[in-house]
Amino acid sequence: MFRAGPSVRLTLQFRRALATHATTPAAPPTRHSWTKQEIQEIYDSPLLDLVFRAASVHRQYHDPSKIQLCTLMNIKTGGCSEDCSYCSQSSRYATPTKASRLVDVEPVLEAARKAKENGSTRFCMGAAWRDLSGRKRGFERILTMVREIRGMGMEVCTTLGMLSPEQARQLKEAGLTAYNHNLDTSREYYPEVITTRSYDDRLSTIAAVRDAGISVCSGGILGLGESDKDRVGLIWEVANMPEHPESFPVNALVPIKGTPLEDNEPVPYQTILRTISTARIVMPATIIRLAAGRQTLDETQQAMCFMAGANAVFTGEQMLTTPCSPWDEDKAMMGRWGLEGMRSFEQVGVARKEGARLEARSETQAAPASGTSASVGAQPSA
């Protein structure tokens, strides 16, 4: 007797996702020609009107009951040569973060298994490097991590600094779902925050990732000392890319002792809410992720963010160098608000990019051996 295993179910899920979007009333196409003035007018509108408009747009493009649960692991800590003024991993600053070598494969796989058991469907790995130059062995180890975690049926994301087109191609071939490379802030304010890497360097890596067929994860940090105009500038920059980012992380600065921004004031909650709402209206199909600093928001503040269009969180034991809300607390909160976790590859944009790979893998696993019946019960290896 044939029993459909996880890979087959994953493919059926992918087909249903596309079919659902094909049979429900079509949402308006996304725009890539926003002006800064248009975005500023949205950002400056009365806050409750802004949240209501964002919530209405959110429901046109997403299931408002679904939240993507992501877990982040620091696989190589500290010792970075960059001078990002918010980051405790820079070698230029005396901070509590100590440099370490790249983690071995097995501890990473164990962390991914634990994340999956707790409901996370995307596993993200960060390494404190400027780029991968001269790190051939380390890169090979990371490619192994990507292949193995993808084999668990999870979405896989990395953030490894600047990438070449060839490195992006290899990550895609290994099964990488998304690559995180934040722009952090507007082009105009960026030199106040970082001087060792240009804005165009970041855009070049994003282009290499996009061209390789990997989903782009790119957002920013609030509380760097920027103005509302800079927050609008960040959204304008990503909203006018050839493809909107698959996900847009909204980070609130967590000041860390020893960094140049250690004494920055906390970003006001209404600024976080305005940024999420504006991003949702301007990039309606993008996943908006509440990232660093979420633990400073109480439950009702987080619920308002979800109402306004945030539909992903980092959950688990730790961010890269800052606290994270635990799985049990997040699942309990979601239960109180009638929210549930997304499945892997549920977002239609990701499903389209990953479709051929999911189809090919599941068809291979579903095909019974000649002259025998088949029972597919292994983890999907998409």
Side-chain angles (χ1 to χ4, degrees), residues 30 36 41 175 221 316 344:
T30 56
K36 288 183 180 179
E41 288 172 358
I221 305 172
S344 295

Side-chain angles (χ1 to χ4, degrees), residues 215-379:
S215 293
V216 171
C217 171
S218 186
I221 305 172
L222 308 180
L224 300 173
E226 78 286 353
S227 66
D228 286 344
K229 184 177 178 181
D230 294 309
R231 296 169 195 127
V232 166
L234 168 66
I235 294 171
W236 175 83
E237 195 76 48
V238 293
N240 285 288
M241 289 178 175
E243 294 179 10
H244 289 168
E246 172 268 334
S247 50
F248 180 78
V250 177
N251 298 274
L253 178 71
V254 179
I256 298 175
K257 185 174 177 57
T259 64
L261 302 185
E262 64 177 333
D263 294 322
N264 277 31
E265 292 294 320
V267 63
Y269 170 66
Q270 62 266 25
T271 298
I272 298 172
L273 190 56
R274 282 190 181 279
T275 302
I276 289 169
S277 300
T278 303
R280 171 50 69 225
I281 293 165
V282 175
M283 297 181 290
T286 292
I287 290 279
I288 297 178
R289 184 171 295 109
L290 274 177
R294 179 169 70 94
Q295 83 285 349
T296 67
L297 306 180
D298 64 34
E299 189 170 312
T300 53
Q301 288 175 325
Q302 291 184 61
M304 184 68 87
C305 291
F306 297 142
M307 174 69 74
N311 56 347
V313 296
F314 280 114
T315 182
E317 297 170 339
Q318 181 78 15
M319 295 282 287
L320 291 178
T321 59
T322 58
C324 190
S325 297
W327 286 293
D328 289 346
E329 287 185 16
D330 282 336
K331 286 185 282 190
M333 176 187 70
M334 289 169 63
R336 286 189 288 272
W337 292 97
L339 302 172
E340 60 183 80
M342 288 185 194
R343 298 184 300 268
S344 295
F345 310 104
E346 182 170 351
Q347 191 202 13
V348 71
V350 171
R352 285 198 180 105
K353 284 199 173 187
E354 302 295 322
R357 188 184 189 101
L358 295 176
E359 293 272 7
R361 291 287 188 175
S362 62
E363 286 172 6
T364 298
Q365 291 198 356
S370 177
T372 66
S373 60
S375 174
V376 183
Q379 289 286 354

Side-chain angles (χ1 to χ4, degrees), residues 14-26:
F14 162 69
R15 288 172 175 160
R16 282 196 299 269
L18 296 187
T20 298
H21 281 257
T23 56
T24 54

Side-chain angles (χ1 to χ4, degrees), residues 196-215:
T196 52
R197 185 193 316 185
S198 73
Y199 211 70
D200 287 327
D201 286 337
R202 290 186 182 257
L203 290 172
S204 293
T205 289
I206 290 170
V209 167
R210 184 174 57 241
D211 292 346
I214 299 169
S215 293

